[in-house]
Amino acid sequence: MRICLAGEGAQGITHADALQAIEGIEIDTLAGGIAADAEAFAKERDIPHWSLDLEECLSRDGVEAVILTTPNQVHCAQVEMALDMGKHVLVEIPMGISLAESQRIAALEAEKGLVCMVCHTQRYTGAFREVFRRVREGELNLYHIVQQTYFFRRRNENRFGKKRTWVDDLLWHQACHMVDMCYWILDDPRMEAWGQVGALHPELEIPMDITIGMRSEDGCLVSSAQSFNNHGPISSDYRFIGEEATLLVQGGRLTDHEGVEIAVPKGGGVGDQDREFFAAIAEGRQPLTSCRAWLPTMETLDRIQQAIDA
């Protein structure tokens, strides 16, 4: 299958690396954001065509699908363009930066009958899949999920220290991972949810710190802290506190409260996620993290945003 990759930044590199291990997938064209970077990326990866015009790339003969690793603010418009052009879409989170954008995408996915999937990579990661299995099979009855995500992003740079042309969002992008993980594990689309933010960055004009609380119908609590102000490397961890055990996910490893490592399913991550996208296309089915299936996550984020605004 010939595809378009949109975005030459950090996530574009991540997907290009993963696609090398998937048989039968060819990146035919790269839709870039910065000419010099796109040209260098295409040359390094032997991609035969590149352009700063996504529509031009999607119009190339034989291109059936697109992977969007572009700035958050353009995801919705680009997904709509690709679906209207008859292309299957895999989009990095978030699929929109508001509930209204997300609802439009979910509706268009249903109308077009194409595969439209969100990159919630954590759902494909072995450690989280094992926690999910234990909860679903009644081996772990949860009382509390405690989660933390830390960055140092006082400058508008990506994870490689390169200046960004867009501004990240701590709630609708980074916290989106946590909200979706908790929705997936707790299976409660109507969880109570609230949030509060700290001071805005004086130049970027975004909240740099957020606390989020949620409560499922069966009483499980979620406590989350997210910060762009943290000194040190990017880090994210989860603590699943249950009746039978306390499990920790840190650095891709799953351990119990005594530090004993727990075996998890092999593989996972971006590779399994991207394989699911192409498998859903080949099999004519809805993927695990389709935009329609993912809509309750965006509804929960909207409730948190409303609490912050209030």
Side-chain angles (χ1 to χ4, degrees):
M1 178 184 294
R2 295 166 65 185
I3 72 163
C4 168
L5 176 64
E8 73 275 20
Q11 287 306 105
I13 293 170
T14 298
H15 283 278
D17 289 344
L19 293 173
Q20 290 180 337
I22 303 178
E23 187 176 352
I25 302 302
E26 175 191 351
I27 302 176
D28 176 75
T29 178
L30 171 72
I34 299 173
D37 292 347
E39 182 177 23
F41 189 107
K43 184 177 181 180
E44 178 185 346
R45 302 276 175 169
D46 293 323
I47 299 172
H49 174 269
W50 70 272
S51 173
L52 301 185
D53 185 337
L54 176 60
E55 185 173 4
E56 175 189 329
C57 294
L58 294 177
S59 298
R60 281 176 60 84
D61 289 343
V63 170
E64 299 180 53
V66 60
I67 298 178
L68 297 171
T69 72
T70 48
N72 301 337
Q73 292 83 350
V74 297
H75 284 181
C76 178
Q78 290 182 340
V79 170
E80 290 176 319
M81 175 193 291
L83 290 176
D84 282 336
M85 294 178 69
K87 312 301 179 182
H88 303 287
V89 179
L90 176 61
V91 58
E92 276 292 335
I93 72 164
M95 61 176 170
I97 54 172
S98 70
L99 179 57
E101 285 191 352
S102 304
Q103 289 170 330
R104 292 206 324 255
I105 290 173
L108 191 59
E109 174 195 1
E111 175 190 331
K112 297 296 184 180
L114 296 162
V115 172
C116 190
M117 175 175 155
V118 187
C119 292
H120 188 73
T121 313
Q122 289 183 346
R123 288 202 196 186
Y124 300 89
T125 301
F128 292 113
R129 287 161 61 191
E130 177 60 17
V131 174
F132 177 83
R133 184 195 68 77
R134 292 188 180 207
V135 172
R136 280 291 176 274
E137 296 182 7
E139 297 177 20
L140 182 64
N141 292 279
L142 291 171
Y143 294 131
H144 203 161
I145 301 173
V146 181
Q147 190 272 343
Q148 303 170 80
T149 296
Y150 298 130
F151 294 79
F152 187 72
R153 282 204 171 151
R154 295 182 186 174
R155 297 179 298 275
N156 198 29
E157 299 173 345
N158 68 13
R159 69 173 185 250
F160 300 126
K162 186 168 184 176
K163 186 173 177 58
R164 274 181 163 156
T165 59
W166 56 283
V167 179
D168 203 355
D169 190 291
L170 193 52
L171 175 62
W172 286 88
H173 182 196
Q174 301 302 338
C176 191
H177 288 285
M178 178 278 300
V179 171
D180 184 69
M181 177 53 57
C182 293
Y183 158 63
W184 184 50
I185 287 177
L186 297 174
D187 193 26
D188 184 356
R190 296 303 305 167
M191 284 186 294
E192 297 177 32
W194 66 274
Q196 60 183 354
V197 299
L200 299 183
H201 189 284
E203 297 174 5
L204 301 179
E205 298 183 341
I206 59 169
M208 298 291 283
D209 292 273
I210 298 178
T211 59
I212 294 170
M214 297 188 286
R215 185 183 187 277
S216 68
E217 187 176 18
D218 63 6
C220 181
L221 300 179
V222 177
S223 301
S224 176
Q226 313 268 324
S227 181
F228 278 163
N229 273 320
N230 183 69
H231 292 268
I234 296 172
S235 65
S236 180
D237 59 70
Y238 288 75
R239 180 180 296 265
F240 296 94
I241 301 171
E243 171 66 22
E244 299 81 2
T246 292
L247 304 181
L248 292 87
V249 178
Q250 298 172 307
R253 297 172 61 243
L254 177 64
T255 62
D256 66 14
H257 61 281
E258 294 180 336
V260 177
E261 188 159 1
I262 298 169
V264 302
K266 293 182 179 180
V270 175
D272 278 7
Q273 168 194 269
D274 289 7
R275 287 186 182 89
E276 167 67 5
F277 175 58
F278 296 114
I281 295 172
E283 297 164 14
R285 60 170 173 82
Q286 191 173 345
L288 172 61
T289 51
S290 74
C291 290
R292 281 177 287 171
W294 213 52
L295 196 56
T297 293
M298 309 308 282
E299 292 169 345
T300 304
L301 282 170
D302 183 66
R303 292 198 293 278
I304 297 168
Q305 184 68 67
Q306 289 182 47
I308 290 170
D309 294 343

